[in-house]
Amino acid sequence: MVSTGGISFPGCVPPPLRQKSFSPPSAFGFARLSNGISFKSTVVVCDWAEKKGSRAVIVNGKVDGLGKSECEIDLDATLGNGHAGNSGKNAGVLSTVGNSTNIKWHECSIGNVERQSLLNQKGCVIWITGLSGSGKSSVACALTKSLYKMGKLAYILDGDNVRHGLNRDLGFKAEDRAENIRRVGEVAKLFADAGVICIASLISPYRRDRDACRAILPDGYFIEVFMDVPLEICEARDTKGLYKLARAGKIKGFTGIDDPYEVPLNCEIVLKHNGGSPCDMADKVMSFLEQKGFLKA
């Protein structure tokens, strides 16, 4: 059996070293199959395989010298994540996303519309951003309570909470903060696709990172809520004692002290510090959700 680049060819033996080895191009992708392989793309493949002493050349999907039953199957067996899957219109189409190669998106007959109908709501991402001490977590909890009372399913992705598990390997350098937001954005997207109203409550100081999270969601499904609370008020509250430590130089890169916070330019909702209690602020968000139709399927 020839096995190269992740592709197994049952019944075929490797060519002698003097011949060119069989190495399909990366455009085809590599996958392990139980019965061999068939090339049906327009990718030019011109290499040698050998079976029982007789040489065969494979050019543009045609195998000369080998029968289909010996070293070939149809690519109707969809290739995804290295496995043969169900047949379909896009059978055999593999993708490269970032550093992940030879992957395929799998669809299910139960989708976003069915999940929304089940929950009688539309999933979305409510992204609450602002300085430490601005009241993000308090508003997130108040909002969740209001939704719960209405029989709506919501989940909070709190900035500190996700660092206890999902993002515990990240620090607070600029690149770590960017990765922290990227991960939370991707998880929030999954919640929204599941039909859940996801409330992400993070400082998320950099505009480009928040905009990147917005970009991965359908238009209108990313709701940016800016806690417009001045630094001096946040510092006076200092519920965690972090501002005091930052002023003393014991914490470096603290947002608002020695690291910038970039105010949103086009957020959907602005909540000011004199806008009432966390419950009052949550009511404003609830009104927005109702107006935009998120509280019904």
Side-chain angles (χ1 to χ4, degrees):
M1 177 179 71
V2 174
S3 178
T4 179
I7 302 180
S8 299
F9 295 89
C12 300
V13 297
L17 291 178
R18 59 184 172 80
Q19 295 177 350
K20 186 178 178 183
S21 63
F22 187 88
S23 55
S26 59
F28 167 74
F30 301 143
R32 295 191 178 279
L33 296 173
S34 58
N35 297 316
I37 202 79
S38 170
F39 298 91
K40 292 194 175 180
S41 68
T42 57
V43 175
V44 174
V45 180
C46 185
D47 278 303
W48 296 102
E50 188 167 302
K51 178 179 183 294
K52 298 177 182 178
S54 63
R55 195 169 60 183
V57 64
I58 303 175
V59 181
N60 283 341
K62 297 180 179 179
V63 182
D64 183 14
L66 295 177
K68 177 175 178 178
S69 61
E70 296 173 318
C71 198
E72 180 183 0
I73 69 164
D74 289 335
L75 270 186
D76 286 341
T78 303
L79 305 182
N81 296 325
H83 301 282
N86 297 324
S87 62
K89 181 179 179 181
N90 296 319
V93 177
L94 301 181
S95 302
T96 296
V97 181
N99 292 326
S100 296
T101 59
N102 307 318
I103 58 176
K104 185 180 185 302
W105 186 270
H106 289 274
E107 293 290 350
C108 178
S109 59
I110 301 299
N112 181 259
V113 173
E114 288 77 17
R115 291 188 288 269
Q116 290 179 352
S117 178
L118 180 68
L119 296 171
N120 192 31
Q121 64 184 52
K122 292 185 177 69
C124 64
V125 174
I126 301 169
W127 194 279
I128 306 177
T129 175
L131 293 170
S132 178
S134 61
K136 300 181 300 298
S137 296
S138 297
V139 171
C141 287
L143 179 57
T144 301
K145 281 186 178 180
S146 296
L147 289 165
Y148 176 79
K149 289 177 181 177
M150 284 190 67
K152 305 303 176 185
L153 184 60
Y155 192 85
I156 298 173
L157 294 175
D158 181 84
D160 279 4
N161 290 0
V162 295
R163 285 182 176 273
H164 280 76
L166 176 67
N167 294 343
R168 65 183 178 184
D169 58 321
L170 301 176
F172 289 90
K173 297 181 294 184
E175 56 270 29
D176 282 358
R177 287 186 169 213
E179 176 60 12
N180 177 58
I181 299 307
R182 188 196 69 80
R183 292 183 192 179
V184 173
E186 290 288 352
V187 173
K189 175 186 174 183
L190 294 177
F191 271 110
D193 186 52
V196 177
I197 296 172
C198 183
I199 306 166
S201 171
L202 308 95
I203 294 174
S204 43
Y206 307 134
R207 195 176 296 124
R208 68 177 181 274
D209 297 333
R210 299 191 301 265
D211 288 346
C213 292
R214 179 188 292 274
I216 65 175
L217 284 157
D219 288 344
Y221 283 77
F222 183 91
I223 303 161
E224 191 172 22
V225 179
F226 172 42
M227 301 297 296
D228 188 7
V229 182
L231 174 62
E232 55 269 21
I233 293 178
C234 294
E235 190 168 0
R237 292 173 178 172
D238 203 11
T239 53
K240 302 176 186 176
L242 299 178
Y243 283 101
K244 184 177 180 180
L245 293 173
R247 291 292 187 188
K250 295 181 179 180
I251 297 179
K252 301 295 183 182
F254 191 78
T255 303
I257 303 300
D258 57 350
D259 201 65
Y261 176 82
E262 298 173 355
V263 174
L265 300 179
N266 298 295
C267 60
E268 283 72 17
I269 302 172
V270 177
L271 300 176
K272 294 185 176 292
H273 72 283
N274 55 359
S277 67
C279 289
D280 294 331
M281 295 181 181
D283 285 343
K284 294 181 180 178
V285 181
M286 288 289 290
S287 296
F288 182 91
L289 293 175
E290 190 165 11
Q291 177 188 349
K292 297 297 183 180
F294 287 105
L295 302 184
K296 58 185 178 182

